[in-house]
Amino acid sequence: MSHIVYSKTYTTPRRPFEKERLDHELKLIGEFGLRNKREVWRVKYTLAKIRKAARELLTLEDKDPRRLFEGNAILRRLVRIGVLDENRMKLDYVLGLKPEDFLERRLQTQVFKLGLAKSIHHARVLIRQKHIRVRKQVVNIPSFLVRLDAQKHIDIAINSPYGSGREGRVKRKMMRARGKGGDADEDEDKSE
């Protein structure tokens, strides 16, 4: 039996009760409709790892093959997910990235910005209930990072009641009740 190796996805802050940081985290949670502080810490940890790699590469010479190869890989990846602009493809700009840049690229934020949901919280619910697809794939992870090329393909899922799928359970029940009259409850028991 093989053991699964897990790596950390977030780190807790060094100072747990720093007012400025607590306020900033709460603001991010409200603005981007996050579930808890851990979702903020996860993004901060991802950003910290990317910045650490960039800092390390900046210490090497400009023409160093490792700096050229790994630096380009980092920059290309960040441009592809839409965190960095095409015209700012330099390692110095990677150090200027903020957690907000990553949170902006989450599927939850994109669904809200596209107007598919009434609020950022509604967007999260729609995603979790499998009403949203990216291209042909239904995605039910609110923290899914949307690539630039996939941004135009975010839409309501085909088999969702919001799209062209059949009506939801409650609506079907109401329609049956309207059709039958009074014995809707007995009918519901038989169908289960």
Side-chain angles (χ1 to χ4, degrees), residues 10-161:
Y10 69 96
T11 53
T12 53
R14 283 211 190 100
R15 298 182 170 177
F17 303 112
E18 207 173 3
K19 177 138 178 49
E20 200 176 296
R21 181 187 51 77
L22 289 172
D23 291 344
H24 182 63
E25 283 173 354
L26 205 59
K27 185 171 156 285
L28 287 180
I29 286 174
E31 190 182 336
F32 294 99
L34 306 179
R35 186 179 57 165
N36 51 28
K37 295 280 177 83
R38 190 167 60 213
E39 292 199 325
V40 178
W41 297 338
R42 188 173 62 205
V43 172
K44 282 187 173 176
Y45 184 61
T46 311
L47 179 57
K49 283 200 289 192
I50 291 168
R51 289 179 50 155
K52 183 182 177 187
R55 263 203 319 272
E56 192 184 321
L57 291 173
L58 280 168
T59 60
L60 305 171
E61 265 111 54
D62 281 349
K63 297 284 180 279
D64 192 303
R66 180 169 163 234
R67 175 171 169 168
L68 291 171
F69 183 73
E70 290 182 21
N72 273 341
I74 289 174
L75 293 170
R76 233 187 7 257
R77 198 168 73 226
L78 291 175
V79 167
R80 196 170 61 193
I81 60 171
V83 176
L84 209 59
D85 289 334
E86 287 270 355
N87 53 6
R88 298 177 61 195
M89 281 188 72
K90 278 178 130 163
L91 284 173
D92 300 317
Y93 290 120
V94 174
L95 300 181
L97 290 176
K98 296 193 292 295
E100 288 89 330
D101 300 325
F102 282 87
L103 292 169
E104 215 44 76
R105 299 303 308 163
R106 285 164 54 99
L107 180 60
Q108 181 179 356
T109 317
Q110 293 300 320
V111 166
F112 174 55
K113 291 266 168 77
L114 287 170
L116 295 173
K118 295 187 188 84
S119 72
I120 195 89
H121 304 292
H122 184 221
R124 191 179 184 105
V125 172
L126 287 180
I127 294 165
R128 277 308 293 163
Q129 293 177 354
K130 298 185 176 180
H131 292 300
I132 303 293
R133 69 189 161 112
V134 179
R135 291 202 169 93
K136 288 190 170 70
Q137 182 74 48
V138 172
V139 180
N140 69 335
I141 312 291
S143 63
F144 176 83
L145 285 180
V146 181
R147 290 181 180 179
L148 273 183
D149 55 349
Q151 190 168 349
K152 294 185 280 295
H153 304 287
I154 300 171
D155 204 4
I156 299 289
I158 296 163
N159 56 358
S160 158

